[in-house]
Amino acid sequence: GGIITQTPKFLIGQEGQKLTLKCQQNFNHDTMYWYRQDSGKGLRLIYYSITENDLQKGDLSEGYDASREKKSSFSLTVTSAQKNEMAVFLCASRRTGGNYAEQFFGPGTRLTVL
Amino acid sequence: QQKVQQSPESLIVPEGGMASLNCTFSDRNSQYFWWYRQHSGEGPKALMSIFSNGDKKEGRFTAHLNKASLHVSLHIKDSQPSDSALYFCAVTLSNYNVLYFGSGTKLTVEP
């Protein structure tokens, strides 16, 4: 088994501020993801990475940067926080090479922009 | 662009009852189908997956896939209060790394 840790659990920022969210996994998975979940809604993919130093854009990448510093960690930066970005950001990981491999999710970082 | 739609948005069933959740997808090249469950305050967790037409049963949960009608469903037998959660349908195309999620069905099981 393994675990995905997201920090911080709650993040409060000011409009226009640059904010960074962090994710660590100990599954030894190759692929990692960042999703955004708006209240009671579905997940939208922001970025994913299939290996260290790789980055692939999702449908919602505008306004975000990401960094895969090493296999176990994946960071997301909100480049300029906006009031309509109050949401939960979920990190996930998956074993690459298995078509049927599921994604495992962390508990999320809840972002509030004042 | 893959579109995944779920219905109903919310569903209330009595304890011991059957819950039926529906999902339609737009791309006929869709390959693999997942159901995820998310309890309040937690991340989603995979319940089960299906890739062949027909039924797949895992305990109280049965998934049904009909690729021709672009439809996948989840049926929960003998529903328990602990089944109360947000349920997501998720679909892959040829890139198995990318999952397209529906907007979810909120299930409430009343004791």
Side-chain angles (χ1 to χ4, degrees):
Chain A
I3 194 166
I4 294 179
T5 304
Q6 291 189 238
T7 54
K9 195 171 172 67
F10 299 95
L11 181 56
I12 299 175
Q14 300 289 330
E15 193 173 7
Q17 193 176 359
K18 186 174 172 181
L19 302 165
T20 298
L21 294 70
K22 293 189 178 294
C23 176
Q24 297 264 354
Q25 54 97 0
N26 64 0
F27 286 101
N28 199 34
H29 286 164
D30 293 302
T31 306
M32 294 186 73
Y33 303 82
W34 277 107
Y35 291 92
R36 173 176 148 177
Q37 182 176 25
D38 291 282
S39 179
K41 294 192 178 171
L43 281 63
R44 289 186 284 173
L45 182 63
I46 306 172
Y47 273 99
Y48 72 101
S49 165
I50 61 174
T51 189
E52 188 177 331
N53 295 320
D54 173 73
L55 281 180
Q56 309 282 337
K57 290 184 178 181
D59 289 341
L60 202 65
S61 61
E62 190 166 335
Y64 302 94
D65 286 329
S67 173
R68 183 83 181 271
E69 305 89 0
K70 49 186 179 179
K71 186 175 183 179
S72 62
S73 66
F74 195 27
S75 299
L76 180 73
T77 298
V78 180
T79 55
S80 178
Q82 303 295 315
K83 278 199 182 292
N84 64 3
E85 290 197 277
M86 290 161 60
V88 175
F89 291 83
L90 292 161
C91 176
S93 71
R94 175 182 180 271
R95 176 176 57 84
T96 306
N99 291 344
Y100 318 131
E102 69 183 90
Q103 292 186 21
F104 291 85
F105 283 83
T109 291
R110 186 174 297 272
L111 173 65
T112 302
V113 181
L114 302 176
Chain B
Q1 176 76 5
Q2 173 80 280
K3 282 188 169 49
V4 180
Q5 294 187 297
Q6 290 186 243
S7 63
E9 280 189 23
S10 62
L11 179 63
I12 300 174
V13 300
E15 185 173 357
M18 172 77 84
S20 294
L21 290 67
N22 296 295
C23 174
T24 58
F25 49 95
S26 61
D27 196 318
R28 291 195 177 275
N29 294 314
S30 297
Q31 299 285 326
Y32 213 72
F33 306 83
W34 288 90
W35 285 97
Y36 279 76
R37 179 165 77 177
Q38 183 181 30
H39 285 110
S40 183
E42 299 178 6
K45 186 171 180 183
L47 266 179
M48 63 188 299
S49 60
I50 186 168
F51 64 92
S52 295
N53 282 328
D55 291 337
K56 181 179 179 183
K57 185 178 177 186
E58 290 189 1
R60 296 185 294 110
F61 299 88
T62 300
H64 176 79
L65 175 62
N66 184 329
K67 287 188 183 179
S69 58
L70 303 174
H71 182 259
V72 60
S73 58
L74 178 70
H75 305 275
I76 306 172
K77 193 173 81 166
D78 188 24
S79 297
Q80 301 298 308
S82 58
D83 293 327
S84 296
L86 194 52
Y87 288 77
F88 293 106
C89 168
V91 180
T92 71
L93 294 169
S94 56
N95 179 358
Y96 290 104
N97 282 309
V98 178
L99 271 177
Y100 296 90
F101 281 84
S103 55
T105 291
K106 183 179 177 182
L107 174 65
T108 303
V109 181
E110 291 188 332

